[in-house]
Amino acid sequence: MKQNTLDLAIIDLKPFIPCKDFETSISFYTALGFDTLWQSDELCLLACGTQKFFLQNFYNQEASENMMFHLQVENADDWYTHIVNLDLQTKYSIRLTDVEDREWGMRDFVLIDPSGVLWRIAHNI
């Protein structure tokens, strides 16, 4: 008797990120360098290279301030410089830490978006 083989391959995974102010968040992420692939009144699909996520026109402070992402990049220092040069801290009231080497073998910094979502942007040392 032949057994069926299950195909459990994952094609894609896109998180849904809450927005305190939907239009401000879209503006922030596009200024950061993400492209808008699709948008409605409730959702916006953004991409940078092959990485994608949805912004949602929904906000819950507790959920937003407990949401964290780890974005691994080729060069965290370049991303930090990019953000500082765009003056995103002033334009969007975001929070940004300095770039540091971490004991777990990565160099990173923290970016907290306009809704309170934390992004740890890093590269391997």
Side-chain angles (χ1 to χ4, degrees), residues 23-34 71 78-97 109-115 119 121:
E23 294 304 322
T24 296
S25 290
I26 292 169
S27 177
F28 167 72
Y29 282 105
T30 55
L32 187 59
F34 287 83
L71 180 64
D78 286 351
W79 270 87
Y80 181 84
T81 300
H82 171 68
I83 293 165
V84 169
N85 287 345
L86 290 172
D87 195 26
L88 296 180
Q89 289 170 279
T90 303
K91 294 176 184 174
Y92 296 100
S93 301
I94 62 168
R95 289 176 282 171
L96 195 62
T97 66
F109 65 97
V110 169
L111 164 70
I112 300 177
D113 86 353
S115 299
W119 290 81
I121 301 173

Side-chain angles (χ1 to χ4, degrees), residues 7-123:
D7 183 355
L8 302 178
I10 295 173
I11 303 299
D12 198 11
L13 175 66
K14 294 181 204 73
F16 284 70
I17 298 175
C19 300
K20 190 173 191 176
D21 180 308
F22 190 53
E23 294 304 322
T24 296
S25 290
I26 292 169
S27 177
F28 167 72
Y29 282 105
T30 55
L32 187 59
F34 287 83
D35 296 317
T36 301
L37 301 181
W38 176 84
Q39 183 177 345
S40 73
D41 291 339
E42 298 302 318
L43 290 173
C44 180
L45 178 60
L46 295 169
C48 189
T50 61
Q51 306 306 309
K52 300 173 189 167
F53 64 89
F54 284 102
L55 290 176
Q56 57 181 333
N57 194 3
F58 167 81
Y59 179 72
N60 175 285
Q61 183 175 357
E62 188 174 339
S64 292
E65 293 178 358
N66 283 289
M67 185 168 280
M68 295 182 274
F69 294 94
H70 186 264
L71 180 64
Q72 189 167 348
V73 297
E74 289 291 329
N75 189 307
D77 294 285
D78 286 351
W79 270 87
Y80 181 84
T81 300
H82 171 68
I83 293 165
V84 169
N85 287 345
L86 290 172
D87 195 26
L88 296 180
Q89 289 170 279
T90 303
K91 294 176 184 174
Y92 296 100
S93 301
I94 62 168
R95 289 176 282 171
L96 195 62
T97 66
D98 291 332
V99 185
E100 295 181 41
D101 291 343
R102 304 295 179 177
E103 62 187 57
W104 51 85
M106 299 196 95
R107 181 164 175 78
D108 73 9
F109 65 97
V110 169
L111 164 70
I112 300 177
D113 86 353
S115 299
V117 175
L118 185 147
W119 290 81
R120 186 170 291 276
I121 301 173
H123 70 255

